[in-house]
Amino acid sequence: MATTVLDIRNLSVGFGRAGSIDPVTHDVSFSLKRGETLALVGESGSGKSVTANAILKLLPKGSAHYLNGEICFGDTNTLRCSERELRGIRGGRIGMIFQEPMVSLNPLHKIGKQLVEVVGIHRGLRTSQAQQLALQWLEKVGIRHAKQKLNAYPHELSGGERQRVMIAMALINEPEILIADEPTTALDVSVQAQILDLLVQLQQELGMAMLFITHDLSIVRRIADNVCVMQNGRLIESAPCQTLFESPSHPYTQKLIDSDPKGTPVSMPSDVPTLLSVDNLKVWFPITGGVFKRVVSHVKAVTDMGFELKRGQSMGLVGESGSGKSTTGMAILKLVASQGSICYQNQELQGLDRKAMLPFRRKMQVVFQDPFSALNPRMSVAQVIGEGLRVKVEGQAKLDEAEIDARICAVMREVELDPQSRHRYPNEFSGGQRQRIAIARALILKPEFLLLDEPTSSLDRTVQAQVLQLLKDLQAKHGLTYLFISHDLNVVKSLCHYTIVMKNGQVVEHGETETLFATPKQDYTRQLVELSSVH
């Protein structure tokens, strides 16, 4: 029988100052055995990451309070450890992978130096030995050209490569426990599959236990032995993985399981006119070299892209990071320079200057992937949503502030936000609410076309389902036309009538969404469909 390596008993954590402490987790208890993968699941704000960070006392000092309970790592209660004792455990006996590697890696230091530092602290190896070990681990986690990557800075690596570096850093000292906090959330399905396979393989090699924190139940099905479900800071259900999915005992667990994207696209008439036509679109970024900075080559971001998008239709653009999806969208909105034809309502947009584009800007709006970085934190929600109405366009009457405020309230109700909250700031809202604010900002200008660039990828499944339903309702009500960029094929199947698959800047395959996913013709499309487990 496997030995228990981590035992959490009745853990309660609160935040605040003395006399005003708000508990955020309540009497959380679970144990982790050697070689086991335990998944801790729940929506944002359920207390998953707080519980995980409490294990190594990584919560902010001063504001975080460990109200009661024990965290037993072997014979050691980490809550009672001194900072010096914890330094010996962190990164040595317990490794941790965080959600966003770009934030976790030091942008000022090369990858090799950061790996060598981790080994030096915990093993006391000489620099030459530590460098050799760092190289071995980069190769072990599947980094190509590992020797060159040792001398690279984090920004010079792709998202998948940065996450592999984080895995190498967490495992280089061969810890007894690995805590993985949403390590694949921002990755494409193909890269995500590679990272998960890598983690499972290394876990088996090292015989370590893994605490895997996620809100994606498809990942849980794939790698977990046991599952703990959290809601509002409480552990509401704990069961073996198969048992939990076959017969969940708590209604919230059932809700999580049922929240995968479902349904079909909004029905549309067959005789609708074409709204947007793109032909032979090309976006090549020049690479200069030499003393005179002559163009020596090009980054071929998009080549020979073409399609027709009908009024009221949803078209999906899918593919891995770097396939040219977002660049295509930015080119259509004339936010990056391009060649080829972009025809909107029979009007050629190429060649139009900034002033001539203003009327089209109102008709063509965009909703970005990360609502937090897309919304100005110094502006209230009312200012964010109403900003577009204050832009002067020739031939349009200027609105007074009372009319602008009335429209802001109306559009907030339309996206199911309380207008009374319009004077609050973006940081006071949840991720799903911020995305609704971003949709309201686009919708208030009464557009015909919306570019949706991964608008649900950073959201929990339950919130994602709500935002998808909102997009469908708005499309049915206003006859909106969507170009939907995503790497989640289940979301695309739920929303889009037609899908284009891209790879390395070129179209691999295209067709009616249901047909394309049911009988993909190209190997690359087939691979994406299999990895996404499209149902």
Side-chain angles (χ1 to χ4, degrees):
M1 188 173 174
T3 55
T4 298
V5 289
L6 183 71
D7 194 10
I8 296 180
R9 303 170 193 158
N10 304 315
L11 177 67
S12 296
V13 178
F15 287 90
R17 300 292 170 187
S20 178
I21 298 171
D22 296 319
V24 292
T25 67
H26 310 269
D27 295 319
V28 175
S29 298
F30 62 84
S31 60
L32 182 63
K33 293 181 170 57
R34 188 176 304 281
E36 174 194 8
T37 298
L38 175 67
L40 197 57
V41 304
E43 296 174 284
S44 294
S46 62
K48 308 185 303 292
S49 293
V50 169
T51 301
N53 282 308
I55 293 168
L56 292 172
K57 291 182 74 174
L58 292 174
L59 297 171
K61 288 177 185 173
S63 62
H65 301 271
Y66 304 94
L67 303 177
N68 64 269
E70 295 179 322
I71 300 175
C72 297
F73 173 51
D75 297 327
T76 306
N77 182 356
T78 61
L79 294 182
R80 298 187 185 281
C81 284
S82 67
E83 194 61 33
R84 184 176 178 181
E85 288 170 317
L86 280 171
R87 278 199 298 269
I89 296 173
R90 293 176 187 146
R93 298 179 65 194
I94 301 179
M96 192 155 186
I97 306 170
F98 296 97
Q99 181 171 353
E100 180 44 72
M102 197 61 190
V103 175
S104 306
L105 294 169
N106 190 326
L108 302 178
H109 294 305
K110 293 177 179 178
I111 296 303
K113 182 178 179 182
Q114 296 186 56
L115 283 165
V116 166
E117 186 179 32
V118 173
V119 179
I121 289 171
H122 292 282
R123 291 203 191 179
L125 297 181
R126 291 185 209 148
T127 303
S128 59
Q129 292 173 305
Q131 284 174 339
Q132 189 59 39
L133 190 62
L135 179 60
Q136 287 172 12
W137 268 94
L138 284 189
E139 289 169 345
K140 191 176 275 196
V141 298
I143 298 257
R144 286 177 293 180
H145 312 299
K147 208 163 189 175
Q148 289 103 297
K149 296 293 166 66
L150 278 173
N151 294 310
Y153 290 95
H155 72 270
E156 296 178 294
L157 306 180
S158 69
E161 285 176 326
R162 285 196 291 267
Q163 199 59 284
R164 287 169 189 270
V165 169
M166 281 299 299
I167 292 170
M169 197 174 287
L171 299 184
I172 197 167
N173 289 313
E174 301 186 8
E176 296 161 53
I177 298 173
L178 174 67
I179 301 171
D181 190 356
E182 301 269 17
T184 61
T185 298
L187 304 177
D188 301 324
V189 285
S190 53
V191 179
Q192 183 184 88
Q194 294 164 17
I195 295 296
L196 291 174
D197 289 343
L198 175 63
L199 283 173
V200 171
Q201 176 198 330
L202 293 172
Q203 180 188 24
Q204 289 168 351
E205 282 181 25
L206 301 173
M208 69 183 177
M210 181 156 63
L211 179 62
F212 198 99
I213 297 156
T214 184
H215 61 254
D216 190 336
L217 294 187
S218 62
I219 293 175
V220 175
R221 280 181 195 266
R222 183 171 173 174
I223 68 164
D225 299 306
N226 292 294
V227 185
C228 291
V229 182
M230 292 191 71
Q231 182 189 27
N232 299 328
R234 298 182 188 278
L235 198 63
I236 59 166
E237 186 166 0
S238 180
C241 188
Q242 190 173 345
T243 305
L244 184 110
F245 281 100
E246 289 176 357
S247 53
S249 62
H250 198 283
Y252 176 72
T253 308
Q254 186 64 59
K255 179 187 169 189
L256 286 180
I257 293 169
D258 292 342
S259 62
D260 279 344
K262 291 184 181 69
T264 55
V266 172
S267 60
M268 55 178 285
S270 55
D271 56 347
V272 287
T274 296
L275 180 73
L276 176 68
S277 176
V278 175
D279 187 43
N280 225 13
L281 185 71
K282 185 170 90 170
V283 183
W284 287 13
F285 298 108
I287 299 171
T288 58
V291 178
F292 299 104
K293 300 294 181 186
R294 292 192 177 95
V295 176
V296 294
S297 185
H298 289 87
V299 174
K300 299 178 181 180
V302 178
T303 303
D304 297 332
M305 166 60 80
F307 60 83
E308 283 192 353
L309 186 55
K310 296 185 180 298
R311 187 180 291 277
Q313 185 183 30
S314 297
M315 181 178 286
L317 267 185
V318 304
E320 298 170 293
S321 292
S323 62
K325 307 185 302 292
S326 294
T327 304
T328 299
M330 294 299 105
I332 289 167
L333 295 178
K334 289 200 68 188
L335 298 176
V336 297
S338 64
Q339 295 176 333
S341 172
I342 304 168
C343 201
Y344 187 86
Q345 288 180 321
N346 299 319
Q347 167 72 55
E348 180 58 58
L349 301 186
Q350 295 284 34
L352 296 184
D353 60 19
R354 182 181 173 277
K355 187 177 179 182
M357 272 297 296
L358 280 177
F360 292 98
R361 294 269 181 242
R362 290 202 162 211
K363 296 177 183 178
M364 306 168 75
Q365 288 291 307
V366 60
V367 178
F368 294 102
Q369 177 175 354
D370 180 7
F372 197 70
S373 59
L375 304 177
N376 190 329
R378 296 184 179 182
M379 293 169 71
S380 69
V381 166
Q383 290 171 321
V384 167
I385 294 174
E387 188 178 20
L389 293 177
R390 296 182 173 89
V391 177
K392 190 176 184 305
V393 177
E394 200 172 324
Q396 289 188 336
K398 187 179 178 182
L399 300 173
D400 61 31
E401 287 302 314
E403 176 63 21
I404 289 174
D405 191 58
R407 290 199 185 184
I408 290 168
C409 292
V411 80
M412 285 186 74
R413 279 190 286 268
E414 201 164 10
V415 298
E416 299 165 13
L417 288 172
D418 181 4
Q420 296 294 323
S421 65
R422 67 189 183 280
H423 301 301
R424 289 159 58 188
Y425 288 83
N427 69 308
E428 299 176 68
F429 293 83
S430 69
Q433 288 172 322
R434 286 197 290 262
Q435 201 58 286
R436 288 173 189 269
I437 293 166
I439 293 169
R441 175 175 62 180
L443 207 62
I444 200 167
L445 295 172
K446 299 181 179 176
E448 302 164 327
F449 169 81
L450 275 184
L451 172 65
L452 301 162
D453 192 354
E454 302 267 20
T456 63
S457 67
S458 61
L459 305 177
D460 296 327
R461 278 298 197 199
T462 48
V463 180
Q464 184 184 80
Q466 294 164 13
V467 172
L468 278 175
Q469 189 56 53
L470 173 65
L471 289 172
K472 288 183 184 182
D473 294 342
L474 293 172
Q475 185 173 38
K477 182 178 178 181
H478 299 291
L480 294 169
T481 305
Y482 294 152
L483 182 61
F484 191 89
I485 296 168
S486 182
H487 62 254
D488 189 332
L489 270 58
N490 284 303
V491 172
V492 172
K493 188 180 181 185
S494 170
L495 185 75
C496 299
H497 305 92
Y498 197 88
T499 300
I500 297 173
V501 181
M502 293 187 72
K503 184 181 182 183
N504 299 331
Q506 295 185 309
V507 175
V508 173
E509 191 170 351
H510 59 90
E512 299 290 333
T513 301
E514 197 164 341
T515 306
L516 186 78
F517 291 169
T519 55
K521 294 183 175 65
Q522 301 297 320
D523 289 341
Y524 179 69
T525 311
R526 201 172 296 117
Q527 180 193 8
L528 289 181
V529 170
E530 287 169 0
L531 289 171
S532 297
S533 302
V534 179
H535 44 262

